[in-house]
């Protein structure tokens, strides 16, 4: 059973069902799908944690969903990697995220765009799980960009108000500035190491012979991305305006998950930052 793939795809199924059918099938359907599938993802995550514990203290679960691109003997896989750091983040995303979804059923009960709201919320969970479960920086970057898209949709949810629409655009554009640094760091790592898998990157920087690339330069470039996503100076300016969205959105994005993505990425690339005291 592809357990990690199931965890990622459950919120995506919620986005598709509520986005396509929610308005026609009513609020009960939207609530059951919107809350039920994240709860199932939490239960699947709990099962993955039990499997991880049984495998030993230094073990990790690795699952290749499919080959994304091939060229010669090189290729990029959509692979998911589950260790203790990922387990903590995934439990928070699915567990706290599910509670916020349940709270939203009351908070948003009178909103005419109820189905659209839950579709966006499920889409955010899908991309956030892609970010933390992705084995490679490339898959992580897909989730990284995806949560930026979902935050734009949720912050500007009441887009009929020009001020709220502007807040969504501000968050989106500011994060793109940080993401450019992340992308440059990703390119530099692939050029130097021939891989973007984070476990292989950490192994390369932990080896006795250091890779022929400046760890400080790569660390700073990746950290620019973390600065935008986690709303740190000088890319913090989007966060106050981001409260324009519904309050549960602020709880999900700004308190529980997305602003911790930068912390997670730095922790995931721990050996790289260990070799880069300047960047650290």
């Amino acid at each position: 059973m592809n357990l990690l793939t199931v965890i990622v795809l459950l919120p995506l199924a919620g986005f598709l069902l509520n986005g396509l059918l929610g308005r026609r099938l009513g609020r009960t359907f939207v609530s059951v799908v919107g809350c039920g599938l994240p709860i199932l993802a939490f239960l699947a995550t709990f099962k993955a944690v039990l499997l991880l514990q049984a495998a030993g203290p230094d073990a990790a679960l690795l699952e290749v969903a499919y080959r994304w691109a091939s060229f010669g003997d090189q290729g990029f896989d959509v692979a998911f990697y589950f260790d203790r750091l990922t387990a903590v983040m995934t439990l928070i995303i699915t567990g706290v995220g599910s509670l916020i979804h349940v709270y939203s059923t009351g908070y948003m009960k009178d909103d005419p765009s109820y189905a659209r709201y839950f579709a966006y919320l499920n889409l955010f969970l899908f991309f956030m799980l892609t970010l933390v479960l992705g084995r490679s920086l490339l898959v992580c970057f897909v989730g990284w960009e995806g949560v930026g898209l979902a935050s734009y949709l949720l912050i500007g949810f009441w887009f009929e108000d020009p001020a709220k629409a502007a807040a969504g655009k501000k968050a989106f554009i500011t994060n793109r500035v940080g993401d450019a640094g992340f992308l440059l760091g990703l390119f530099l790592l692939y050029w130097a190491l021939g891989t973007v898998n984070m476990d292989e990157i950490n192994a390369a920087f932990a080896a006795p012979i250091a890779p022929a690339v400046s760890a400080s330069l790569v660390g700073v470039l990746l950290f620019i991305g973390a600065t935008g996503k986690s709303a740190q100076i000088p890319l913090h300016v989007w966060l106050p305006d981001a409260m324009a969205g519904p309050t549960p959105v602020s709880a999900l994005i700004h308190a529980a998950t997305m602003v911790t993505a930068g912390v997670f990425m730095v922790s995931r690339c721990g050996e790289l930052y260990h070799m880069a005291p300047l960047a650290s």
Side-chain angles (χ1 to χ4, degrees):
M1 186 174 69
N2 297 324
L3 187 60
L4 303 182
T5 305
V6 168
I7 293 169
V8 174
L9 291 183
L10 280 169
L12 179 62
F15 163 70
L16 294 173
L17 289 171
N18 278 334
L20 296 173
L21 305 173
R23 290 187 66 182
R24 279 177 282 175
L25 297 181
R27 298 194 176 205
T28 301
F29 173 83
V30 172
S31 300
V32 170
V33 169
C35 300
L37 293 179
I39 291 171
L40 287 177
F42 172 73
L43 296 175
T45 301
F46 190 73
K47 181 175 182 179
V49 170
L50 295 178
L51 292 174
L52 186 66
Q53 284 185 320
D58 298 320
L61 307 180
L62 178 61
E63 193 174 290
V64 178
Y66 64 94
R67 173 56 62 95
W68 188 356
S70 298
F71 42 95
D73 58 348
Q74 297 274 351
F76 296 113
D77 292 326
V78 175
F80 301 117
Y81 185 84
F82 192 84
D83 62 359
R84 289 176 178 245
L85 174 62
T86 311
V88 171
M89 285 297 297
T90 309
L91 285 170
I92 291 171
I93 294 164
T94 56
V96 177
S98 295
L99 294 175
I100 293 169
H101 278 65
V102 172
Y103 179 79
S104 294
T105 59
Y107 189 92
M108 298 293 288
K109 67 180 186 299
D110 297 322
D111 196 284
S113 299
Y114 189 79
R116 177 167 63 90
Y117 171 81
F118 273 94
Y120 289 168
L121 223 57
N122 281 184
L123 181 67
F124 178 86
L125 280 194
F126 162 68
F127 281 124
M128 194 66 205
L129 289 169
T130 302
L131 190 161
V132 300
L133 283 166
R135 182 191 183 194
S136 73
L137 278 172
L138 189 60
V139 175
C140 176
F141 185 73
V142 172
W144 194 270
E145 290 296 292
V147 294
L149 168 65
S151 69
Y152 162 73
L153 295 172
L154 287 164
I155 291 167
F157 180 76
W158 290 311
F159 58 85
E160 298 90 347
D161 183 339
K164 291 178 170 55
K169 288 187 284 187
K170 185 175 183 180
F172 189 81
I173 293 168
T174 306
N175 273 279
R176 299 294 75 71
V177 176
D179 295 349
F182 188 108
L183 200 56
L184 289 172
L186 190 156
F187 289 156
L188 194 56
L189 280 172
Y190 185 74
W191 170 78
L193 304 178
T195 182
V196 287
N197 292 332
M198 286 183 271
D199 53 321
E200 295 174 356
I201 291 169
N202 281 325
F205 280 98
I209 301 175
V213 64
S214 169
S216 291
L217 176 58
V218 173
V220 167
L221 288 171
L222 293 177
F223 190 73
I224 291 171
T227 301
K229 199 64 68 186
S230 295
Q232 302 301 301
I233 295 172
L235 298 179
H236 64 294
V237 293
W238 65 271
L239 189 57
D241 297 287
M243 302 303 162
T247 299
V249 170
S250 299
L252 184 66
I253 292 178
H254 311 135
T257 57
M258 194 179 87
V259 295
T260 62
V263 181
F264 170 80
M265 186 274 295
V266 171
S267 300
R268 171 59 73 217
C269 300
E271 292 296 339
L272 186 157
Y273 282 96
H274 181 70
M275 295 296 293
L278 177 63
S280 297

